[in-house]
Amino acid sequence: MPREKKKSYFINFVGVLAVFLLLAALFESNILGSRTNYVKGICTTACYTIIMVASLNLLTGFMGEFSLGHAGFMSVGAYASAIFTGFLPETGIPDFLVFLMALIIGGIAAAVAGVLVGIPALRLRGDYLCIVTVAFAEIIRVAFCNFDITGGGRTLSGIRSLSNFYWCFWVMVVCVALMYMYVRSRFGRTVTAIREDYIAASASGINVTYYKVLTFTFSAFFAGVAGAIYAHYMTAMIPTNFSFMYSSEFLTEVIIGGTGSLTGSVIGAAFLSALPELMRQFSTYRMLMYSVVLILVMIFRPGGIFGTWEFSLARLLKKGPQKKKRTGGVVHE
């Protein structure tokens, strides 16, 4: 890896660490008083939402395919991890290790579902793929409503409370970093080439189906991780939570933030996670506000607020204040 890139990664990591320490100091100092746990809960919700939105952006922004069934993969990861920790005996294993195992189990379960759905579905394009993903999410939801192990149509409760903000924050950072490295890798560049010109990529010898299924599975894995965090934060679930509307909310956040920008996914998901709480007094109009914001973005910023732009603290510091030059008695910026 080039030295300049290592330096850039290090500077960005320091920036992320500074944000974490700032939030930790805010919560531990109890400046917010009785609202501390409430705000911490919103931040935890933002963490798994960011993972979900960023993983969906891999499909929508970088692969150029719409999916309206991403909540289905989240539900697979959520229920798989909850069942795993439910059957795990109390053997004195530290909670953090149990939490990591739950994340891995949830991610793998969703990735397997991604392969099973992706192999036949990704031979389709456009609206047809979107319809298949919607069908998958509905099939999963109905199946979970009829399996005894998932609680049937009732609430699956008694899930171990393992998700806390500090662990979830770093899981979110690692997941977004892995997705960023993927889209900047050879695989990511190939997927982008397929998005730009499907026929030309296929004619160049690229195995289009392979790369699309790989990206679809990679995206599903992180949706499963987000589902595992969700399950062990909420500690109770019902299949109807993972509805078509839930998938639509994730897609809305991708479009608003910017298709093809992980920065947009992070900012958009964090903002829209906090928006319902900020507008609690106007909860009746929450979905109306979503619609208005989406329409305004599509009119004035069709590519999303951030477009394909990615934030880099290292690049920002490198630019710094522009120096003034004096030429012929005239000062130039």
Side-chain angles (χ1 to χ4, degrees):
M1 184 184 294
R3 183 178 178 182
E4 191 68 24
K5 184 172 289 188
K6 289 182 180 179
K7 182 180 178 182
S8 175
Y9 285 164
F10 176 75
I11 292 174
N12 286 311
F13 173 76
V14 171
V16 171
L17 181 61
V19 172
F20 173 76
L21 293 176
L22 179 63
L23 290 172
L26 179 67
F27 296 142
E28 294 303 320
S29 64
N30 204 29
I31 294 176
L32 301 174
S34 60
R35 292 176 59 86
T36 299
N37 289 331
Y38 175 71
V39 175
K40 190 185 293 187
I42 295 176
C43 291
T44 305
T45 301
C47 287
Y48 66 72
T49 304
I50 286 171
I51 298 173
M52 278 297 296
V53 175
S55 66
L56 181 57
N57 207 351
L58 290 180
L59 301 181
T60 304
F62 296 97
M63 197 167 75
E65 301 287 359
F66 276 97
S67 171
L68 277 172
H70 219 54
F73 296 112
M74 185 182 186
S75 67
V76 171
Y79 277 98
S81 63
I83 293 169
F84 167 75
T85 55
F87 282 107
L88 193 67
E90 296 288 344
T91 56
I93 302 175
D95 284 351
F96 181 67
L97 290 180
V98 176
F99 180 62
L100 286 182
M101 288 190 289
L103 297 182
I104 294 171
I105 292 296
I108 291 175
V112 171
V115 172
L116 296 177
V117 174
I119 290 176
L122 288 170
R123 298 178 185 276
L124 305 172
R125 299 177 63 192
D127 298 338
Y128 299 103
L129 175 62
C130 186
I131 293 170
V132 169
T133 57
V134 171
F136 160 74
E138 287 301 302
I139 290 170
I140 289 295
R141 184 180 63 80
V142 173
F144 285 165
C145 284
N146 291 276
F147 290 160
D148 291 335
I149 196 171
T150 58
R154 301 180 303 277
T155 301
L156 178 64
S157 58
I159 304 171
R160 295 176 64 175
S161 179
L162 299 173
S163 300
N164 64 62
F165 169 72
Y166 304 109
W167 295 353
C168 294
F169 179 90
W170 288 110
V171 170
M172 179 267 293
V173 170
V174 170
C175 289
V176 173
L178 289 174
M179 284 184 267
Y180 178 82
M181 288 189 286
Y182 179 80
V183 299
R184 291 294 184 271
S185 69
R186 175 173 61 88
F187 299 101
R189 291 193 296 270
T190 302
V191 169
T192 303
I194 294 171
R195 178 197 66 191
E196 294 299 323
D197 197 322
Y198 180 94
I199 296 175
S202 181
S204 300
I206 295 174
N207 189 336
V208 173
T209 302
Y210 167 77
Y211 281 100
K212 290 176 73 173
V213 171
L214 177 65
T215 305
F216 195 78
T217 304
F218 197 66
S219 173
F221 174 84
F222 288 111
V225 170
I229 296 174
Y230 173 88
H232 292 88
Y233 172 66
M234 301 300 293
T235 68
M237 297 183 297
I238 190 168
T240 52
N241 290 344
F242 305 96
S243 62
F244 170 77
M245 289 302 298
Y246 202 30
S247 294
S248 300
E249 284 187 29
F250 294 136
L251 183 60
T252 300
E253 291 167 10
V254 169
I255 294 173
I256 290 175
T259 52
S261 169
L262 291 178
T263 301
S265 296
V266 172
I267 302 299
F271 172 72
L272 292 175
S273 295
L275 185 62
E277 304 302 327
L278 295 174
M279 295 187 59
R280 181 170 290 276
Q281 295 180 343
F282 309 98
S283 57
T284 307
Y285 306 101
R286 180 172 66 90
M287 295 309 297
L288 176 62
M289 287 301 300
Y290 273 153
S291 303
V292 170
V293 171
L294 183 60
I295 291 172
L296 291 176
V297 169
M298 294 304 294
I299 292 175
F300 298 104
R301 295 283 296 179
I305 294 174
F306 289 90
T308 58
W309 179 80
E310 298 287 5
F311 173 78
S312 172
L313 182 60
R315 185 170 60 241
L316 184 66
L317 294 176
K318 188 176 180 180
K319 287 182 179 180
Q322 295 186 0
K323 296 181 179 179
K324 297 181 179 180
K325 298 180 181 178
R326 184 178 296 274
T327 305
V330 179
V331 176
H332 299 275
E333 293 290 339

